[in-house]
Amino acid sequence: MTTKTEQAHIQKAFQERMDEDELMNCMRCGFCLPSCPTYIESGQQETQSPRGRIALMKAVVDGLIEPDEEVERSLSLCLGCRACEQVCPSGVRYGHLLEEARDIIAQHKRMPLHVRLVRKLVFAGLFPYQERMRKATAFLGWYQRSGLRAIVRKTGLLRLLPASFRQMERVLPDVPTAKEMKNRPHRLNPDEPAKKRVAFFTGCLMDTMFMTTNDATMRLLQLAGCEVIIPPSQGCCGALHGHGGEKEMAKELAKRNIAAFEQLDVDYIVTNAGGCGAFLLEYDHLLKDDPEWCDRAAAFAAKIKDVSEVLVELEFHQLPLRVAPQTITYQDSCHLRNVMKTASAPRRLLRAIEGAEFREMKDADRCCGSAGIYNLVEPEMSMQILDYKMEMAKQTKATTIVTANPGCLLQMKLGIERAGLTESVRAVHIVDLLLEAAEGAQAVREEERIRQTS
Amino acid sequence: MIPNEAKKRLIQIVGAENYDDTKAGRLVYSYDATPQFQSLPDAVVAPRNTQEVAEIAKICNEYRIPIVPRGSGTNLCAGTCPVEGGIVLLFKHMNRILEIDEENLTATVQPGVITLDLMRAVEEKGLFYPPDPGSMKISTIGGNISENSGGLRGLKYGVTRDYVLGLEVVLANGDVIRTGGKLAKDVAGYDLTRLLVGAEGTLGIVTEATLKLIPMPETKQTMLALYQDLEAAARSVSKIIANQIIPATLEFLDQPTLEVVEDYARIGLPTDVKAVLLIEQDGPKEVVERDMKKMADICRSEQAVSVELARSEEEAEALRTARRAALSALARLKPTTILEDATVPRSEIAKMVKAINEIAAKYQLKICTFGHAGDGNLHPTCPTDARNREEMERVEKAFEEIFAKAIELGGTITGEHGVGAMKAPYLEWKLGPAGIAAMKAIKQALDPNNIMNPGKVFAKSTRKRVVVTR
Ligand SMILES: Cc1cc2nc3c(=O)[nH]c(=O)nc-3n(C[C@H](O)[C@H](O)[C@H](O)COP(=O)(O)OP(=O)(O)OC[C@H]3O[C@@H](n4cnc5c(N)ncnc54)[C@H](O)[C@@H]3O)c2cc1C
Ligand code: SF4
Ligand code: SF4
C-alpha cells in the first residue's frame, strides 16, 4: 500500500521525470495489444496492455489519476518483455517509460521491512561484487553437494518458502566450486589465425552459476577465430537494478563496465545473455544526462553484439556440427529479440547442426514469463504464461528446448518439470548445444580417421 | 455516477469480475485512437451474451445511464470516448465465430471477433471477406460494422456495408431484434440492416452479425509505381478509373509518409521519390496480367519514374502491411497526430492533393498525405504538438479549408472514419438542416432517452471547430 503522501510524491516525480513526448507519441492505435502476453493472459484487460499502461502513466503525469494501487498493479504485472515495442509503428520506447516509472515508484514507496532488506542485500550487497557472487554460488554448491540439499528436500523444510522459490530451487543448475570460479582466464587465443579480436562480457550470474556456459561461449569464439579478451575489472551489467527500480545503482555499474572495456582495441564486446546484452546496449540511454559519460556509453554500446551474431558473421555454421538425432526448438529471449534485434542468427546456427531437426514453435517470440525476477514476484501470471509456452513446445515434439538467456533457461527447466517431462525433454543454452555439436562432429571425424588408418 | 441500486443489479447480471469501476480500470477506457479526446466512464461492463446485453440496456434505460459500446477503441472520431460518462460495454467475451456456412457463403459472428481472425478463418476454407481496414489486426467486426469501415480493397470490393447481410441488435429499451439474414434477397420492411451499419453505436448494440463471403480470387499481383510529382501520381489514379479498370487496391503515399513507414518497417521502400502508388489486381490470371500491364502503361504515361511488380507474395504482403502501418508510423514524428478523412469524387483527386499542399504551405504546416486514393479517400495528416496553441490554431484553420475544399469538389467530410464526437459539429455542414432533422427523428424514435452513445453524431451546437476541442 502506498500512503496518500507517497502517492503525492510519486505523482510529482512523474511530472518531473517522465518523458512526456514519449508518452504522447503513443497514438493509441492498439496495434501492440495482440503481442502483449499479459493482455492475452489476463483475458484482455486493457489495464494489462501496453496501450493501457502508457495511458495510466500519462494520466498520472496529467493529474487525471493518482498513482494508486491499481496503477501500481498494472505496472508491476508488466513483464518488461518489450514485445510491444517491436510491433509499435509509432516507435514508442515503452521499455524506457516503464523503467522510469518503476524507478520513481520504488524510490518513493516505503516497502515492507523484509522486502527492503532483501532488496538491499541483493541489489547493493551481492550483485555488484563478483567476489561475493562467487561466495554465494560456492555456498549454493556446497548446499547441493554436501547432502544438505537431500536432507532439506526430504524433510520438507522447503515448504517454508513460497511455492515459486521452492520450484526455483529444484531447477538451479549444479554450480561450480569456489576453486573453479577463482581461476578465470583473461585472454584466449584463437584456434585459427585471428579473424576478429573481441572482448567477452562475462556477467555476474553467468560467470558463477552458469560458468560452464561462459566457458563454452569462449571456446566457440576461439573455434570461430576470435582472440578473446576478458577484462577482469568488469562486473554485473545492472539490468536487475535498472528494471527493479534502482537506477542510480545501475548507473554506477554501467560506468564500471564502460571503464573496464573502453581502453580495449576490440571489434565487438560479446554477450551471451539477452537480458544483459540488451541492458548494455542501452547504457547510452541510461547515462544520457551525464555529460561526462554519455558519449563513452554510446561508444561502448555500439560494440555490443550477441555471441550468435558474431558466430554467424564468422561463418561458424559452415563448420561441421553434429549431435545425436533429436528434435530441437528455440525459445527467443525477449530482450535478445526485441532490444538487440537478434532473432535469425540463433536459428541459422541451430539449423546448421546435423542430426538435429529444428522445428519452430508457435509464438516462440512470446515471453516465457521468466522476465528477470518476475517469476518470483508474480508467480501466478508467470506460471500461466509458462504453461502456455510448454503447450506450444510440446506441440513441436522437441526433446531439446534451446534458449539464449539464463533466466529463460531456468524458466524452461521449470516448465519441463511442471509438465512432468523431466525424463524426456531438456533445456539448454544455445552455446552449450553448439559446443556439444562442434565436439560431436569432431568425435565423428576422429573415429573416421582411426578407422581409415587402421 | 451510477446509482448504487443500478450498480448492484448490473453486477448481478454480469458478475463482479465483469464490472469494473476502479479508477485505473475506467481510465483505460477514457479514450480511443482520436487525439485530444478523453473522458472517464463511470464503469466498464463486459457482458457474456445477448441476454445479458438486453438486461443491461433495460437497466441503463431505466436509470438513464449512457451506454458506450466499444470494440478495440481504434476509431478516429472519438466514437468510443465516453463524453457523457456512463458505462463502456465490452465484447471481449462475445468474440466467437459462430458459423462459416460454406453452402450459403456466409459467416455468422459475435461482435468482438477481431477482423483479421475472421479473415484467416474464412481463408482457410478458400473464402474471402474483403473489408480490410488498416487496423484489421486489432479492430473488431462490431466496430467495423458500426463505423462502416473501408480498407485497402474498398475500390473493387466495397466497404463493410456491402458484406453485412443480417444483424442481431439490442435496442435501447432492451428489445432484441433481428434484421436481414442469410437471404440473398429480402425486401420485407425497411432495410434496418443498412441503417444500423455505420450507426456508431447510437441506435443499438450489435450482438451478432451475418456476413457475406465471396470466393477467394484465383491470383493476385502487386506493384509499386514511383513518382517525382505528387499530382502526376494523383492524375494516374483518376486516369486508371477513367479507363474503366477497377483494381483491387490503389493506395497513395507521399514522401514524408514513405519515410516514416520505412523507418518502422525497414523493407526497402523508396524514400527518394515524391509519391508512390501501391496497386493490386486480383482475379483470373489473364485478367490480372492484362490490367496490370494497362495500369503500368498509364502510370508511365503520367511520368512514373519506375513501375515495378512485387517479386513474391511475401514482398507484396510486406508492402500492404507497411501501408497499413502508415498512420501509426506518422505518429512517431510529433507528439500529436491530427488526421483527416476528406473524400472527393475520384476524378477530383489530383485537385485535392494540390489543394492540400497549397493549404499546408499557406499555414506553414507539414501535412503528409496517404490514403485510399482509388476511393477518392485521402488522409491528410498533420504531425503537430497539442501543447503548442499557436500552431494548433493554424492546424485548425488549415483543416477547415481542406474540408471546405472537399465539399466544394463534391466530396464529404468523412469517408470512412465516422462522425463520433469529433465531427459532430460538422455534420450539418454536409447534410443540411433537413438531413439532420430526418436523422434525429430516427434517433428519437429508437432511443428516446438518448442513452445510446450520447454526444456522438449529433452536436449540441454546430460549431466549426476541427481539432481544438478543449
Ligand atoms: C492505424 C489505424 C488505421 C485505420 N485504418 C482504417 C481504414 O483503413 N479504414 C477505416 O474505415 N477505418 C480505419 N481506422 C479506424 C478504425 O480502426 C475503424 O473505424 C474500426 O472499424 C474500429 O473498430 P474497433 O473495433 O476499434 O471499434 P471501436 O473504435 O471500439 O468502436 C467504433 C464505433 O463502433 C461502435 N461499436 C463498437 N462495437 C459495437 C457494437 N457491438 N454495437 C454497436 N456499436 C458498436 C462504438 O460505439 C464506436 O462508435 C483505422 C484506425 C487506426 C488506428
Ligand atoms: S504503444 Fe504503439 S502500438 Fe501500442 S497503442 Fe501506442 S502507438 Fe499503438
Ligand atoms: S513489455 Fe511485454 S508485458 Fe509489458 S506491456 Fe509490453 S508486451 Fe506487455
Side-chain angles (χ1 to χ4, degrees), chain A residues 21 24-25 28 31 51 89-90, chain B residues 34 72 137 331-332 335 387:
Chain A
D21 281 355
M24 288 179 76
N25 195 9
R28 310 185 290 213
F31 277 32
R51 179 173 66 176
S90 188
Chain B
T34 323
S72 293
K137 173 182 170 188
R332 64 172 60 207
R387 292 164 297 191

Side-chain angles (χ1 to χ4, degrees), chain A residues 440-454:
Chain A
Q442 175 114 34
V444 172
R445 263 179 301 167
E446 283 293 307
E447 250 172 60
E448 267 168 20
R449 199 170 51 88
I450 293 168
R451 218 182 311 129
Q452 274 168 9
T453 49
S454 62

Side-chain angles (χ1 to χ4, degrees), chain B residues 407-436:
Chain B
I407 291 181
E408 183 195 313
L409 291 171
T412 179
I413 54 170
T414 169
E416 59 176 12
H417 293 163
V419 180
M422 187 184 176
K423 297 240 175 71
Y426 281 91
L427 192 60
E428 192 168 330
W429 199 2
K430 168 80 171 76
L431 296 179
I436 290 275

Side-chain angles (χ1 to χ4, degrees), chain A residues 351-386:
Chain A
R351 283 184 203 278
I353 302 176
E354 265 180 77
E357 188 196 336
F358 179 79
R359 274 199 215 140
E360 191 72 50
M361 88 170 120
K362 183 165 178 268
D363 294 332
D365 58 354
R366 194 189 292 177
C367 183
C368 65
S370 151
I373 53 167
Y374 187 91
N375 50 5
L376 297 178
V377 291
E378 297 290 350
E380 206 177 315
M381 179 60 93
S382 170
M383 290 307 119
Q384 199 177 324
I385 290 172
L386 177 59

Side-chain angles (χ1 to χ4, degrees), chain A residues 25-33 50-51 54 84 87-92, chain B residues 328 331:
Chain A
N25 195 9
C26 170
M27 63 90 59
R28 310 185 290 213
C29 64
F31 277 32
C32 50
L33 302 195
R51 179 173 66 176
I54 294 168
C84 45
V87 295
C88 171
S90 188
V92 176
Chain B
S328 309

